[in-house]
Amino acid sequence: MSKKFVHRRKNFVGKRPTASQEVRRPTEGQRSISYTIAEALEIFILAKEAEGVRERTIKDYRSHIRYLCDFVGKVFDTDTPEKAEISVIDADLIRRYINYLRTEKNAYSGVTGRETEGRRISVSTINIRLRTLRTMCRFWAEEGILPDNPMKSIRPLREDEVEEVPGISDDDLSRILAHCDETTFAGFRDRVIILLMIDTGLRPYEATSLTIDRIDEKAGIIIVPSEIAKNRKWREVPISREVVRELLQLYEESQHYFGDTDGRIFMNAYGDPFTDDSFRKRLSRIRKKLGIDRLHPNQFRHTFARKYLLNGGDLFSLQRIFDHANIQTTRKYVQMDTSDLIMQHNRYSPAKKYVRKRQY
């Protein structure tokens, strides 16, 4: 049976429906389709991927919504919180979630080997998760997935003072480097990446993903391309020739053991890429063996910053090396303990030369 083809509107041209016949459209704030948290997340992720957001950022989006889902599971006593309707995320639930993160949640819950440390989540970390949630909720409200934006009245947590990530003491750094067994490939690799980070201040991901073609031995610089850099800006980072030699030696050994590594310098003992997450896990084992309270990859970046200034570097050149748009961000990376301050005071106090002139 052939289908009827409709061309001209014979009976409806010029006609308008009466009030009783008007099509009822959803009013503002109403949704015609119900979405689960998982479905809403995938719509959000698809939109961000279309905008060119990086894979690492997408990974953070998924992690942050997973933390919220864990709380939703506790509140509604369900093993599948991702299947709950997105509408359960309202301002009241978010405020309860914030209090949960502040007062109950273990910072290392779910991280193998660190569940018993009992450290609370920092205010800055909670604010980072809220910033992600704010981005998501704004998108969902604009797309009609949520009736309104539940984050519009939620403010970031206040901090009594700017939190600074501590660096590593000279004694602990010496112990860590001495612990790296250079008779093993993994031990030598660990030592080289630590030296690289305290020499250049590279971010963990920038360091572990380093390739041989990005090292300019003659100029004494490392190239951080825009596709690697956090803020998508290409930059050059100075590096010591001694550390360059260590990198070239490691690369030569990696090529010998594993063949073509696509130019990557840091590999695991099985010939797979050594990632920043792998580095974190290696440091966790070292921390336990040496009895160090805290040890993670970013501490080497902070250690570089502190030592750079103590050894005569200035904050503005450090800002450029770190590629920070705001110098206040650079300042957060610099934490000097009392011994550092005493050393600097003894070196630069203007009163000392006047006191020496007096005869006793």
Side-chain angles (χ1 to χ4, degrees):
M1 181 178 177
S2 61
K3 294 183 179 179
K4 182 179 180 181
F5 175 71
V6 177
H7 180 49
R8 294 189 180 277
R9 298 170 59 225
K10 296 179 179 178
N11 300 321
F12 296 93
V13 176
K15 291 186 176 182
R16 292 289 182 268
T18 63
S20 62
Q21 294 173 327
E22 285 188 2
V23 177
R24 296 184 180 274
R25 295 182 175 85
T27 58
E28 185 177 355
Q30 291 181 326
R31 292 178 297 120
S32 57
I33 302 176
S34 176
Y35 295 90
T36 65
I37 294 177
E39 290 169 340
L41 175 63
E42 292 310 313
I43 294 172
F44 172 80
I45 295 296
L46 182 63
K48 291 303 172 182
E49 288 175 339
E51 293 174 8
V53 172
R54 285 185 175 162
E55 183 178 343
R56 290 172 60 82
T57 304
I58 297 296
K59 181 180 178 181
D60 288 340
Y61 287 149
R62 293 190 183 278
S63 295
H64 292 180
I65 202 68
R66 187 174 67 248
Y67 301 143
L68 178 61
C69 279
D70 289 343
F71 178 71
V72 170
K74 292 178 180 294
V75 171
F76 294 97
D77 192 22
T78 175
D79 295 329
T80 57
E82 68 281 354
K83 294 183 180 180
E85 283 199 15
I86 190 68
S87 57
V88 302
I89 302 179
D90 56 18
D92 177 66
L93 181 124
I94 292 171
R95 291 191 181 97
R96 293 165 65 189
Y97 174 57
I98 293 172
N99 286 330
Y100 166 72
L101 294 178
R102 289 180 57 250
T103 62
E104 298 182 42
K105 180 70 172 177
N106 184 337
Y108 300 115
S109 177
V111 180
T112 304
R114 306 184 75 178
E115 298 91 339
T116 59
E117 294 192 15
R119 184 177 293 151
R120 294 296 175 216
I121 299 175
S122 68
V123 170
S124 61
T125 297
I126 294 174
N127 281 335
I128 288 172
R129 296 183 185 181
L130 292 179
R131 188 163 63 241
T132 298
L133 190 57
R134 182 170 288 106
T135 301
M136 290 180 170
C137 288
R138 185 188 307 117
F139 171 85
W140 289 329
E142 290 174 351
E143 293 291 314
I145 294 172
L146 275 176
D148 53 26
N149 182 358
M151 284 294 296
K152 64 184 177 184
S153 61
I154 306 295
R155 298 288 179 264
L157 272 67
R158 295 181 179 180
E159 301 179 64
D160 293 334
E161 61 182 38
V162 176
E163 296 184 46
E164 296 174 327
V165 176
I168 303 170
S169 68
D170 289 342
D171 288 343
D172 282 344
L173 186 55
S174 296
R175 292 171 62 206
I176 292 166
L177 290 171
H179 178 80
C180 298
D181 184 1
E182 293 189 64
T183 64
T184 67
F185 173 80
F188 177 53
R189 178 210 58 219
D190 291 348
R191 177 181 172 82
V192 172
I193 196 168
I194 290 171
L195 290 173
L196 171 65
M197 290 197 66
I198 62 175
D199 185 53
T200 62
L202 290 175
R203 295 181 177 90
Y205 178 72
E206 294 171 345
T208 57
S209 63
L210 181 63
T211 53
I212 195 68
D213 60 298
R214 286 162 42 203
I215 300 176
D216 189 332
E217 184 178 2
K218 290 184 179 179
I221 58 172
I222 285 178
I223 305 297
V224 180
S226 57
E227 61 267 22
I228 297 295
K230 184 177 181 180
N231 65 355
R232 299 175 180 264
K233 291 184 179 180
W234 175 95
R235 77 182 192 277
E236 297 175 336
V237 178
I239 184 172
S240 303
R241 298 191 183 279
E242 294 82 359
V243 177
V244 169
R245 287 197 291 268
E246 297 287 314
L247 289 168
L248 295 178
Q249 175 65 33
L250 178 60
Y251 177 69
E252 182 179 334
E253 292 188 22
S254 296
Q255 292 290 102
H256 173 75
Y257 292 129
F258 311 119
D260 184 17
T261 61
D262 292 327
R264 292 185 71 109
I265 295 174
F266 296 103
M267 311 294 291
N268 67 20
Y270 297 96
D272 298 319
F274 186 69
T275 65
D276 50 336
D277 188 56
S278 302
F279 187 29
R280 180 189 61 76
K281 291 177 180 177
R282 291 284 295 183
L283 292 178
S284 180
R285 287 195 284 269
I286 293 174
R287 177 188 63 79
K288 292 177 182 178
K289 289 182 179 180
L290 299 182
I292 298 174
D293 291 336
R294 187 177 186 181
L295 185 61
H296 58 79
N298 235 11
Q299 282 183 273
F300 295 110
R301 182 166 159 89
H302 288 257
T303 300
F304 164 79
R306 187 185 79 232
K307 289 297 183 183
Y308 183 83
L309 294 181
L310 288 174
N311 291 336
D314 64 274
L315 192 61
F316 294 101
S317 61
L318 179 62
Q319 178 189 6
R320 182 170 176 179
I321 291 172
F322 274 11
D323 196 27
H324 289 154
N326 189 333
I327 202 166
Q328 296 302 320
T329 305
T330 310
R331 289 187 67 255
K332 293 179 181 180
Y333 278 78
V334 182
Q335 183 178 33
M336 298 185 184
D337 57 26
T338 303
S339 62
D340 293 327
L341 297 177
I342 292 173
M343 181 183 69
Q344 291 294 85
H345 180 268
N346 288 336
R347 181 183 298 176
Y348 298 114
S349 172
K352 297 180 70 171
K353 70 175 183 178
Y354 297 103
V355 174
R356 289 181 186 137
K357 291 180 179 180
R358 183 172 179 176
Q359 299 297 322
Y360 290 93

